[in-house]
Amino acid sequence: GGGGGGGGSSPENPHLSSTGLARRAKEAWEDVVAVDATHEEARYNLALLLLELGDRDEAERHFAEVRVSNPSNAMAPYQLALLTAARGEWENTAAYLYEVVSLEPTFADARARLGAMRAESPLTRDDGLALLEASVCAAVECEEPGQNEATTLFLFGKVMETIVGDFPCAVLAYSKAVQCEGFDIEALSRCGYLLSLSDADLGIADA
């Protein structure tokens, strides 16, 4: 008979697994780029697949190619910003984020990341907070908040907590972040930590 089988796991077919499919798709995009090196969509999708497969250096090279071939493509510098941020190259990250925001002023995730970076310095704090607040307004108004909105709210909460010292505002931002699809577990952790503090720790005076 048919379909019983409980907890046993059969060997995964590499051509049906997500990694197997990704490798086949990678080969297909590589074929397109080999024929037409200026094919922007193929090169960008190839870079995304390379990221998925863990080849960050090669992905970065292709994102950089897309950025050069089409300076109006905001997604290429955005991906480069994420890659350089992961390496702690903050000056490069900021430069890429400025580029993204100049190309797409309503790109909330990029604005929030740039705002959080600028908020860290007293010299650019007001500008950074303004960028963050505008992004948060857009995130809160989003009817189906996802990972980008969660990131925006988390970054705002982190700045409120660690830089501004407005803990109640940070709790509110974190709590909204965890209501979004694909939220970072750290938002839940920070929210729980702040809620565990006493009113005195939070700087809330007795009435």
Side-chain angles (χ1 to χ4, degrees):
S9 63
S10 57
E12 201 172 29
N13 182 333
H15 297 293
L16 295 179
S17 70
S18 58
T19 303
L21 289 171
R23 290 193 183 282
R24 289 164 65 196
K26 169 179 169 285
E27 290 167 6
W29 289 125
E30 283 175 336
D31 288 345
V32 176
V33 171
V35 172
D36 181 3
T38 63
H39 197 299
E40 181 183 337
E41 182 184 4
R43 193 177 286 280
Y44 184 82
N45 286 330
L46 173 58
L48 290 177
L49 278 169
L50 287 163
L51 270 185
E52 183 181 336
L53 294 168
D55 192 345
R56 299 170 75 85
D57 290 344
E58 192 66 4
E60 186 167 1
R61 184 177 73 80
H62 286 290
F63 285 133
E65 290 275 359
V66 173
R67 175 175 171 263
V68 170
S69 65
N70 182 4
S72 65
N73 183 322
M75 289 307 299
Y78 174 71
Q79 294 292 346
L80 291 167
L82 298 183
L83 285 164
T84 52
R87 293 199 298 269
E89 297 173 4
W90 303 119
E91 286 189 17
N92 289 337
T93 301
Y96 286 132
L97 289 173
Y98 270 118
E99 191 175 324
V100 175
V101 171
S102 68
L103 291 168
E104 296 281 352
T106 59
F107 199 137
D109 185 84
R111 282 193 309 180
R113 290 175 187 276
L114 181 59
M117 289 181 69
R118 290 183 68 75
E120 290 182 9
S121 167
L123 295 175
T124 54
R125 185 157 299 158
D126 289 346
D127 175 52
L129 290 173
L131 279 168
L132 266 173
E133 286 164 4
S135 301
V136 166
C137 287
V140 169
E141 291 170 4
C142 181
E143 291 185 4
E144 295 183 4
Q147 193 167 4
N148 284 346
E149 287 72 30
T151 298
T152 295
L153 290 160
F154 173 74
L155 289 171
F156 182 68
K158 199 82 179 285
V159 167
M160 289 296 107
E161 176 191 353
T162 61
I163 295 173
V164 179
D166 187 339
F167 296 134
C169 186
V171 168
L172 183 60
Y174 289 143
S175 63
K176 286 190 174 296
V178 300
Q179 295 170 28
C180 301
E181 288 286 334
F183 72 88
D184 190 320
I185 194 69
E186 194 182 345
L188 188 58
S189 172
R190 296 310 307 163
C191 186
Y193 167 71
L194 289 178
L195 288 172
S196 74
L197 299 177
S198 67
D199 285 352
D201 292 329
L202 288 169
I204 302 172
D206 292 331

